[in-house]
Amino acid sequence: MEGAFPAAQGNYEVMRRLAGVAEGSELQGKTALECNQEWLNAVSFSKGCYLGQELTARTMHTGAIRKRVMPVMLVEKEWEIPTSWTMAQQVQEGRDDMFAAEILKSLPQFSAASIGGLMAMMMGALENIDASSSLDADEAAEQTEEAAKREKVQKQAELLLEKMSGIERGDKIVDTQDDKTIGQVLSTPAPGTNVVLAQMRLDRVGLTTTKTPWKKTNKVRVGDTEYRYLPYTPIWWPIVDSETGKGRPPEPIKTEESPEEKVANEEA
């Protein structure tokens, strides 16, 4: 990952935003559940009192969560979309096989480090180094061609980051297919990254039931610029219930029955 992010800026802000964690003024005007505080052990439902407890408890036990803070990768409209999001679209459309559905659920899930690595590869920041001392003519030509491709990708990435430098906190994220606002930027991209922290409508990223599903070809407008948007869920998120927007409890781990338990179950 060396060289992928500018070290002078400090990596905390980079990793925090890639991990989808909002803090400070980014939380202002939003409920605790919209900011995923229950998944960060920042909210208690068994003790209190605290400011906003009644609304938080009522929403948790009887309501639904329509928006959440999450990371969103923005890319050029012409860029090739990584396989993770192609498979996610198949899951959401019900065209997946059992393997894809089990692994991906409805959106790709990444840690800060893994999304950083993927982003670095997409931007040509990582390269394959041949350790051999000598190359034949074909291998040398192949490496020269790969270097030229990588340089082209790096230039495209520089142009993308230059465009994204104009994104400001509070900018609306508008879906170009129906011109509706589906999110709002809470934190501008950390230096060297193309990921914004945003409050997004869950139905427009495919996490809750919708008539307008997310697709990898969908485009959004942020400011005056159009991008493709690739939302993902942080690794610390649970599975999101498609009806309520809340975290679903983990599935119980199936264990093999002991002979005694098997006999007892058969007798019952």
Side-chain angles (χ1 to χ4, degrees):
M1 294 292 293
E2 185 176 355
F5 307 120
Q9 298 293 333
N11 280 338
Y12 169 75
E13 279 299 317
V14 176
M15 301 304 282
R16 177 182 72 82
R17 298 181 205 185
L18 295 184
V21 179
E23 68 174 18
S25 58
E26 296 164 355
L27 307 174
Q28 187 174 355
K30 299 161 191 64
T31 69
L33 302 185
E34 288 176 343
C35 297
N36 314 312
Q37 296 293 290
E38 78 276 32
W39 299 338
L40 292 168
N41 295 322
V43 175
S44 173
F45 297 102
S46 60
K47 61 181 180 180
C49 300
Y50 54 85
L51 186 64
Q53 180 185 20
E54 183 179 347
L55 173 61
T56 300
R58 185 168 63 246
T59 303
M60 184 65 185
H61 296 298
T62 64
I65 303 164
R66 307 300 181 191
K67 298 179 287 184
R68 281 192 181 272
V69 174
M70 64 187 303
V72 180
M73 179 184 287
L74 301 177
V75 299
E76 293 284 15
K77 294 177 288 184
E78 301 80 12
W79 282 21
E80 182 178 352
I81 303 302
T83 304
S84 297
W85 282 277
T86 300
M87 294 177 68
Q89 180 177 327
Q90 293 175 353
V91 170
Q92 293 190 20
E93 293 176 346
R95 295 188 292 110
D96 58 274
D97 55 27
M98 290 183 64
F99 175 79
E102 181 64 26
I103 298 299
L104 281 176
K105 306 305 178 186
S106 55
L107 276 183
Q109 192 167 48
F110 293 106
S111 66
S114 59
I115 193 64
L118 175 60
M119 181 174 55
M121 287 188 288
M122 291 174 66
M123 293 187 169
L126 301 181
E127 60 182 286
N128 296 322
I129 300 175
D130 195 303
S132 61
S133 58
S134 61
L135 299 173
D136 60 31
D138 290 340
E139 290 173 331
E142 184 177 340
Q143 283 212 353
T144 301
E145 183 179 351
E146 288 298 320
K149 288 181 180 178
R150 188 167 58 252
E151 184 178 356
K152 181 180 179 181
V153 170
Q154 289 172 343
K155 289 181 179 179
Q156 292 174 338
E158 289 174 3
L159 291 174
L160 172 65
L161 295 180
E162 185 177 349
K163 285 183 183 179
M164 292 185 65
S165 65
I167 294 177
E168 297 182 355
R169 181 180 169 186
D171 280 351
K172 293 180 179 179
I173 300 175
V174 180
D175 195 323
T176 59
Q177 65 178 328
D178 57 11
D179 211 38
K180 289 187 177 180
T181 299
I182 63 172
Q184 184 179 36
V185 175
L186 301 183
S187 179
T188 56
T193 76
N194 60 327
V195 173
V196 297
L197 196 58
Q199 185 181 43
M200 300 294 293
R201 282 177 47 180
L202 296 183
D203 60 331
R204 300 305 287 263
V205 296
L207 289 177
T208 57
T209 306
T210 178
K211 295 180 180 179
T212 312
W214 173 85
K215 294 182 179 180
K216 65 178 183 178
T217 54
N218 284 5
K219 295 182 285 291
V220 292
R221 185 172 62 254
V222 184
D224 297 324
T225 307
E226 288 189 4
Y227 307 91
R228 283 189 182 173
Y229 71 110
L230 307 178
Y232 63 92
T233 57
I235 195 69
W236 49 272
W237 276 33
I239 298 172
V240 177
D241 186 271
S242 61
E243 297 298 327
T244 66
K246 302 171 188 175
R248 278 168 39 190
E251 298 289 338
I253 299 175
K254 295 181 180 180
T255 57
E256 188 174 347
E257 291 181 333
S258 66
E260 294 79 8
E261 291 174 330
K262 190 173 182 180
V263 171
N265 289 334
E266 289 175 352
E267 290 177 350

